[in-house]
Every structure is written in C-alpha cells, then in structure tokens.
Amino acid sequence: KQEVTQIPAALSVPEGENLVLNCSFTDSAIYNLQWFRQDPGKGLTSLLLIQSSQREQTSGRLNASLDKSSGRSTLYIAASQPGDSATYLCAVSSQGGSEKLVFGKGTKLTVNP
Amino acid sequence: GAVVSQHPSRVICKSGTSVKIECRSLDFQATTMFWYRQFPKQSLMLMATSNEGSKATYEQGVEKDKFLINHASLTLSTLTVTSAHPEDSSFYICSARRGYEQYFGPGTRLTVT
C-alpha cells in the first residue's frame, strides 16, 4: 500500500528566503507525482506534475525534483513571498494508470513579511 | 481551461437528513471524476471513482449505500450523503480527469448538526 510522507509538517520563514519541502513515498512504482497548493478552506491548485520518466519540472520560482528509485521528491521555492503562504500537498499515482492519487498530509508554509 | 466547480461551497444539515453535492467540469468533458474527503489536518482520502454511464468504484471502507454517486453526464457528478451524521462532517473535494491530470474543485464544507 502506497504511503506518502511530507516533512516538515509546518515551516515558517522570512520573506525572500529560499526553501525546500520534502515528500517521500514507499512504493517507487509510480506513474507520476504532483505538487499542489491548498489555501485555507479551499480546493487544490496544481503546481507541478512530474512524470515517472522525468527528473524535474520548473515553473517560475518553483522547481520540483523526482528521484523515483529512492522514493523522494522535493519542491524548491525561490525567493519566497507572503503570498506563498499555504499548505503544499504532494500526491503520487501508481503505475498501470490506476489514476488514484495518494496524498501526503502536507506542509503548512508561512512566509513572514 | 480545465475549470471544475462544486456546489454548494458550504452546507449545514441536521442529523438524519440527506445532502447532495454537485461537481461540474465547466470547460471540458470528463468521463472520470473522483470524490475525496479531507478531515482537519489530514490528507485527502479518495472515497470513490465516478465513471460516466456506469457504477462508481468505492474505496475500501467507504459505504456505497451511504455515499451515493451519480455521473449522469460528461460534465456532472453528484455525491449524496444519505442519513448524514455528525461524523460525516468534513471537507469534500471532487476532481475531474483530463488526460493524465486531475483538476480539482474548490471543495464543499459539510457540517452535520
């Protein structure tokens, strides 16, 4: 059974700092991995999707890496801003196109002005 | 593109009553939609996979007779919580699949009194 763990559970940083969020998964046979952002009481916004054959994806100040063999992914946020404050969720889907996403509990990020 | 809406955004109902939540893909057709539940400070848990024109597939431990899912068209799936109880109070989020990505709705906060 796939399990996804995110560390740390919460992170508070000053504005402008670069930071890394971590995600690990127990079964390396994944189809893809996604990073989402969730604001309080809101739905999910997809940030980056990495296919199992890819090593990383970039979008603006965000960079996500994937090391499938070790079951790890990181989300790097450069030059953090108060608007980046949210909960960041990592989710993986299994091989075989089952489409089911297994989510971690998330990392709650607070960027202080 | 790829916008998913949910209605209502918030609902309060009395114990023993039923409540229906709608999930719509606004600008694309989705043969597959998913329903998730999220308890406070927990990760999203997949409840069921909704397939247009066929029966939903429920995850282990989810009562299909309590959580009725109907996917009558390519843009609409509904989740009906029957005989709701306070322990059903949660945040319900749907997603619609397009290609290999899932696009999420804004969620529905259900409170059962």
Side-chain angles (χ1 to χ4, degrees):
Chain A
K1 178 185 174 184
Q2 179 73 273
E3 292 183 1
V4 179
T5 302
Q6 290 186 246
I7 295 173
L11 180 64
S12 182
V13 301
E15 182 177 3
E17 191 163 298
N18 303 326
L19 57 100
V20 175
L21 307 181
N22 297 291
C23 172
S24 62
F25 44 96
T26 55
D27 185 350
S28 62
I30 65 169
Y31 186 63
N32 62 45
L33 181 145
Q34 278 186 268
W35 282 94
F36 295 90
R37 169 185 173 138
Q38 184 176 30
D39 292 288
K42 303 293 184 182
L44 276 63
T45 300
S46 180
L47 299 174
L48 291 165
L49 181 148
I50 311 177
Q51 299 283 19
S52 62
S53 59
Q54 297 174 319
R55 303 280 289 184
E56 66 177 341
Q57 283 286 341
T58 298
S59 176
R61 295 183 292 109
L62 306 179
N63 175 276
S65 68
L66 174 63
D67 184 341
K68 200 173 74 165
S69 61
S70 68
R72 295 182 180 184
S73 175
T74 61
L75 178 67
Y76 175 82
I77 302 177
S80 59
Q81 302 171 358
D84 295 330
S85 299
T87 295
Y88 291 81
L89 297 168
C90 168
V92 299
S93 65
S94 301
Q95 280 187 347
S98 70
E99 305 170 329
K100 296 179 182 180
L101 287 177
V102 178
F103 283 83
K105 290 185 178 182
T107 294
K108 184 176 181 180
L109 173 65
T110 302
V111 181
N112 301 301
Chain B
V3 178
V4 177
S5 70
Q6 275 184 248
H7 178 79
S9 58
R10 289 179 174 272
V11 58
I12 301 173
C13 70
K14 293 187 176 181
S15 185
T17 63
S18 296
V19 61
K20 180 186 287 186
I21 303 170
E22 295 184 347
C23 176
R24 293 181 185 273
S25 55
L26 299 184
D27 52 0
F28 67 101
Q29 293 182 330
T31 56
T32 304
M33 293 185 175
F34 302 87
W35 287 96
Y36 296 82
R37 182 167 52 183
Q38 185 180 33
F39 291 107
K41 298 186 179 181
Q42 299 295 315
S43 60
L44 276 74
M45 297 297 293
L46 180 65
M47 298 175 65
T49 302
S50 171
N51 301 296
E52 187 269 336
S54 64
K55 291 183 179 180
T57 304
Y58 290 82
E59 294 301 299
Q60 191 173 11
V62 178
E63 300 175 58
K64 62 179 182 179
D65 294 330
K66 180 172 182 61
F67 298 99
L68 301 179
I69 291 173
N70 184 276
H71 194 155
S73 77
L74 289 172
T75 59
L76 173 64
S77 175
T78 61
L79 169 68
T80 301
V81 183
T82 62
S83 187
H85 291 285
E87 57 265 31
D88 298 323
S89 298
S90 187
F91 193 55
Y92 293 84
I93 305 178
C94 72
S95 71
R97 185 174 67 91
R98 187 176 80 168
Y100 49 77
E101 287 196 61
Q102 290 185 33
Y103 295 88
F104 286 79
T108 296
R109 172 72 61 191
L110 170 63
T111 303
V112 185
T113 61

